Amino acid sequence: MSKRVIMAAGNWKMNKTPKEAVEFVNELKGLAAGADSEVVIGVPFVCIPNVIEAVKGSNIKVAAQNVHWEASGAYTGEVSCGMLKESGVDYVIIGHSERREYFGETNEMINKKARAIIDSGMIPIICCGETLTQREQGVTAEHVRYQIKVALLGLSAQEVSNLVIAYEPIWAIGTGKTATEEQAEEVCAIIRKLIAELYGTDVSEKTRILYGGSVNAGNAKALFAMPNIDGGLVGGASLKLDAFEKIIKHYA
Ligand code: PGA
């Protein structure tokens, strides 16, 4: 089977106001027209309405960076899947290490979010990854397998074949210290093997597995060329037009 469609997903984190977001997207639209990857931008909640309007007629899709799993109710400060879906969002990033570390997001919560996102007709981008200590202790495979196993609990083969997983070693996020292609490929292959164990190889050959952690214009091409890496979840470099253009065209 040929390799899956490469996804270049930007994760803006807490950056850009609605006005700045639209200015950026208006520039990106022209650049993305020639992209050979699926282009996604993960923007702050308040930017979503303007960005959805701005990407109309382009090949850029919009992701949210978080969501609550309940449909509605007394959850002050939270946003539901229904709200995102109605706004035109296609993807939702869940389980990012920053959400796990600063906001107490657990594997069980990520599993509930994945269920709710799929039930609303959107696609989860499920993040996982080990700390430097875990890597040095040699428990990366066990840790990532556990994170993904719990995140996928109760999902069907069809649902898993359609979702996206992002392997992001925490020591590589925002540090400029990218995993080597071999390190990234090794763990992405472990994740694909886990999906094959749980759902069979038909499914594991379809699920897209991204690498994230200091992806930039200079390393994207080599990373995305690895057999089990289907693109990248890009933080810092997705905020810069020239760098993100090279990444979405992954010719750098
Ligand atoms: P980075 O962030 O590319 O700035 O390392 C990646 C991420 O956190 O998704």
Side-chain angles (χ1 to χ4, degrees):
M1 190 186 281
S2 64
K3 205 178 156 182
R4 298 145 292 272
V5 176
I6 295 285
M7 173 183 283
N11 174 14
W12 287 5
K13 310 191 180 183
M14 198 169 72
N15 291 291
K16 298 196 193 291
T17 66
K19 190 163 166 276
E20 289 166 348
V22 168
E23 281 164 12
F24 185 91
V25 170
N26 284 338
E27 297 279 333
L28 181 64
K29 276 204 283 196
L31 307 175
D36 46 9
S37 50
E38 182 180 2
V39 182
V40 179
I41 47 174
V43 307
F45 286 137
V46 292
C47 296
I48 288 173
N50 295 7
V51 166
I52 292 283
E53 200 50 42
V55 299
K56 278 194 180 139
S58 78
N59 57 345
I60 303 170
K61 294 185 179 149
V62 178
Q65 300 174 13
N66 183 33
V67 74
H68 196 278
W69 58 86
E70 290 293 345
S72 63
Y75 301 99
T76 302
E78 293 292 322
V79 165
S80 73
C81 289
M83 296 171 192
L84 295 180
K85 177 68 183 170
E86 192 184 297
S87 303
V89 166
D90 286 308
Y91 291 95
V92 187
I93 300 166
I94 52 173
H96 191 280
S97 65
E98 287 149 18
R99 296 229 40 101
R100 293 176 188 261
E101 183 180 350
Y102 306 133
F103 304 100
E105 206 161 297
T106 64
N107 293 321
E108 289 72 19
M109 287 157 78
I110 292 155
N111 177 239
K112 287 192 220 174
K113 292 180 184 203
R115 174 78 273 151
I117 292 164
I118 294 168
D119 287 347
S120 306
M122 299 181 292
I123 299 175
I125 300 175
I126 304 173
C127 304
C128 61
E130 81 287 1
T131 62
L132 185 58
T133 307
Q134 287 167 330
R135 176 158 283 263
E136 287 169 354
Q137 288 170 332
V139 298
T140 297
E142 284 94 330
H143 179 70
V144 169
R145 279 174 58 93
Y146 181 77
Q147 286 181 313
I148 293 301
K149 231 172 161 167
V150 177
L152 300 184
L153 280 175
L155 302 187
S156 71
Q158 164 63 28
E159 288 163 348
V160 172
S161 67
N162 200 36
L163 57 71
V164 182
I165 292 172
Y167 165 58
E168 300 204 303
I170 295 168
W171 48 271
I173 295 177
T175 57
K177 197 170 178 284
T178 321
T180 62
E181 299 98 82
E182 292 76 20
Q183 284 173 322
E185 165 65 16
E186 184 187 13
V187 182
C188 290
I190 287 167
I191 296 168
R192 198 172 306 286
K193 188 159 164 282
L194 169 66
I195 297 172
E197 279 168 33
L198 297 172
Y199 295 97
T201 49
D202 277 3
V203 174
S204 71
E205 285 303 314
K206 290 190 184 125
T207 308
R208 283 187 290 179
I209 304 175
L210 314 181
Y211 166 77
S214 299
V215 173
N216 60 42
N219 60 29
K221 184 178 181 180
L223 284 162
F224 298 1
M226 299 307 276
N228 284 291
I229 300 178
D230 306 316
L233 183 57
V234 186
S238 75
L239 298 167
K240 299 180 208 122
L241 274 173
D242 53 343
F244 198 50
E245 181 194 9
K246 291 199 175 75
I247 293 166
I248 64 182
K249 294 178 177 164
H250 58 96
Y251 55 62

